[in-house]
Amino acid sequence: MLLRTFGWSFGITAAGLALAGYFWGGKGLAVVAILSILEISLSFDNAVINAGIVRKLNPFWQKMFLTVGVLIAVFGMRLVFPIIIVAITAKLSPYEAVKVAINDHDRYETLVTNAHPAIAAFGGMFLLMIFLDFILEDREINWLAWLERPLAKLGKLDMLSVAVALTVLIVVATTVATGVPLHGGHGTIDKSSTVLLSGVAGVVTYLVVGGISGFFEERLEEEEDEDEDGAEGADGEESAAPAKSNGSGALAAVGLAGKAAFFMFLYLEVIDASFSFDGVIGAFAISNDIFQIALGLGIGAMYIRSLTVFLVRKGTLDDYVYLEHGAHYAIGALAVILMITIKYDVSEVITGLVGVVLIAASYWSSVVRNRRLGEDSEQSDDKAEVTTGV
């Protein structure tokens, strides 16, 4: 199970480190290894969130997540996306941006770092929307009930998450973004309009991609319910009725497919992109070589995907019910940290530890809950035995 799930990650790690040692020597190998560890430590909560979505997909789309999704994550978000950002913000042609990235590492680092406010605002607002929609939803299982139950009642107000997110964005744009230091400490610049525009784009992206995927998922569930009702009414032989596929070609037993799975896949990729922003920016504290950054973060991204599939196949989220809560709280913390980093430096160690601590706490709470339920079940069985004996 472990080798089958992480086999590709192990192989890519070996190949990646070998390439790093060949092209950059021992120092380059160490840099790539450190970048890989940085990406894994910053994105463990990403794996938990991904697992909650991937388990809804059928095997085909799970494989797409591990193949096409990896290519998008490694080459798209870790290599191409920073170049696109440089081209847009510095008003360079794509060709000139590539030349800067390859030949002038210091200038490339400066350009990417100066583009950080826009990147952080987009990613921060997207992640904040994920957190708010989770925390404002009424759930059967609550981790921090004293907080989650009152918020779930407030969540019955339409569009409350959007109102809260935009309020946060306005506060950030009018305070944190008004005096952003330039790279190298040479003065400050007002990034209010940039942060506002990028933040609104993050909210809109979440609403569009998440809304479309949610629409198709709900329609798929309705079609499956209709199929089940029809099967139950057919000669009273619902137990013998064969499973029917719906218009999307999906079955409840095998997970989402068709349009629903496609938009859910897009939603996954946008989530991954939002998580990758802090890793890409933080990587410049270790190296300003675009290829070292892409290789190191790419190896880490591969492990996150393998860990996602491992969590799905082991049914970890079903066994440890508070893990998703912890991961969403980590997302909320990361969104806040991204907003703060628009103006202030926050160590990657702090960013990584916040997520790890929250997930570890939710995991331990899940273990305690499982033990308590197990003890209650044993006591019930003992009472039943005594009653039967009497």
Side-chain angles (χ1 to χ4, degrees), residues 204-366:
V204 171
T205 301
Y206 173 83
L207 293 175
V208 171
V209 179
I212 292 175
S213 62
F215 168 76
F216 281 109
E217 185 179 0
E218 289 177 4
R219 193 174 73 172
L220 182 64
E221 291 175 353
E222 291 174 358
E223 291 175 355
E224 289 170 351
D225 291 339
E226 291 175 0
D227 288 344
E228 290 177 1
D229 292 340
E232 290 175 359
D235 300 326
E237 297 179 356
E238 67 274 13
S239 60
K244 296 180 181 180
S245 68
N246 49 51
S248 300
L251 294 171
V254 296
L256 297 179
K259 293 179 181 178
F262 173 72
F263 284 105
M264 193 67 75
F265 175 78
L266 290 182
Y267 181 57
L268 268 171
E269 292 308 313
V270 178
I271 290 176
D272 179 76
S274 300
F275 272 98
S276 71
F277 292 151
D278 59 330
V280 171
I281 299 299
F284 283 101
I286 300 171
S287 172
N288 59 9
D289 188 310
I290 183 174
F291 296 110
Q292 288 183 356
I293 291 174
L295 184 57
L297 298 185
I299 291 173
M302 187 66 196
Y303 276 96
I304 296 304
R305 271 160 170 67
S306 295
L307 180 59
T308 297
V309 174
F310 179 80
L311 293 174
V312 172
R313 291 175 177 170
K314 291 285 289 184
T316 305
L317 299 185
D318 295 325
D319 296 335
Y320 302 95
V321 295
Y322 297 140
L323 269 181
E324 280 193 278
H325 294 74
H328 279 88
Y329 280 109
I331 281 182
L334 178 58
V336 173
I337 290 173
L338 279 172
M339 295 297 182
I340 294 174
T341 59
I342 290 174
K343 185 174 183 178
Y344 304 101
D345 290 331
V346 178
S347 171
E348 290 76 22
V349 175
I350 295 176
T351 305
L353 280 178
V354 168
V356 170
V357 168
L358 286 169
I359 291 176
S362 63
Y363 172 80
W364 177 248
S365 296
S366 300

Side-chain angles (χ1 to χ4, degrees), residues 10 23 48 66 191-192 203 223 327 388:
F10 295 152
F23 286 107
V48 178
L66 276 177
K191 288 282 188 176
S192 299
V203 173
E223 291 175 355
T388 303

